[in-house]
Amino acid sequence: MANQTITKCRIGEAQMNFVRVFEPESFNGGDPKYSVILSFSKDDEAIMKAIQEAIDATVEKAKATMYGGKLPKNFKIVELKDGDEDYEKDGFAGMYTIKASSAYKPEVVKKATVMGKVQLVPITDEEEFYSGCYGAADINFFPYNNNGAIGISCGLNNVLKLEDGEKLSGTGLSAD
């Protein structure tokens, strides 16, 4: 039976940061995961609304199906981070961010014209999808219960590259 508490959400244009979509990476000794931090303008009310509605729906489903109508006190909800307050790095001013991750490799695609028809084609070159490019993402929110840590998290399903942007790391510039 499918997990009825998963709520999907599509994120329109967002800057891709800390891109880990080709090889999983382990953080703080945890299981390796694929991940990306999606950064989008605070002015993009459509994305904010879609994310908040998906989180709210997931919380309500979890309350109803897992917790008898009331959330436990230690229940944590994935948060949108405010780039003006939560990051010391440049480049996040005026943005909200959310981290999406998955144990499963996401599809990484772009639109291309193939034999006169626009199609989605896989991106396999890590130089083509990088921290700083812009894309769209298919994400989902779901409840978790791991060794007493409980809450709502954000899963990563697929990403679509929309356009190039300024590379944020690993530019490969010559020392000359």
Side-chain angles (χ1 to χ4, degrees):
M1 185 168 99
N3 183 343
Q4 298 300 310
T5 58
I6 292 177
T7 304
K8 291 185 179 183
C9 178
R10 287 202 174 95
I11 303 299
E13 186 172 322
Q15 184 181 51
M16 304 291 152
N17 296 291
F18 301 97
V19 172
R20 307 285 188 272
V21 295
F22 296 103
E23 292 292 328
E25 189 169 310
S26 177
F27 294 95
N28 300 325
D31 292 333
K33 291 188 177 187
Y34 299 91
S35 64
V36 64
I37 293 179
L38 306 165
S39 302
F40 55 92
S41 172
K42 288 182 178 182
D43 295 332
D44 194 328
E45 293 177 15
I47 290 178
M48 284 295 302
K49 182 179 179 188
I51 289 173
Q52 196 57 57
E53 285 176 355
I55 290 171
D56 291 346
T58 306
V59 168
E60 290 305 312
K61 287 180 182 179
K63 249 197 298 193
T65 62
M66 300 170 70
Y67 302 108
K70 186 176 180 184
L71 292 179
K73 288 182 182 181
N74 61 338
F75 193 86
K76 298 205 182 281
I77 299 173
V78 64
E79 61 183 303
L80 284 171
K81 293 192 175 187
D82 185 328
D84 295 326
E85 298 173 11
D86 294 328
Y87 289 99
E88 294 178 8
K89 298 179 182 186
D90 292 333
F92 291 102
M95 309 285 265
Y96 281 120
T97 67
I98 190 163
K99 181 178 182 178
S101 64
S102 176
Y104 303 100
K105 187 172 184 171
E107 285 191 69
V108 182
V109 296
K110 64 181 177 181
K111 290 182 181 179
T113 302
V114 179
M115 296 174 23
K117 186 177 178 184
V118 176
Q119 299 178 9
L120 296 179
V121 296
I123 296 175
T124 57
D125 182 356
E126 294 181 33
E127 293 294 317
E128 191 173 352
F129 194 88
Y130 52 88
S131 293
C133 73
Y134 290 86
D138 177 22
I139 61 176
N140 63 280
F141 295 92
F142 61 92
Y144 64 87
N145 185 344
N146 295 328
N147 299 322
I150 57 174
I152 301 294
S153 192
C154 182
L156 176 63
N157 300 316
N158 306 297
V159 290
L160 167 68
K161 182 177 180 182
L162 297 174
E163 62 185 79
D164 286 316
E166 182 180 342
K167 278 192 176 182
L168 301 178
S169 65
T171 61
L173 295 176
S174 167
D176 289 340

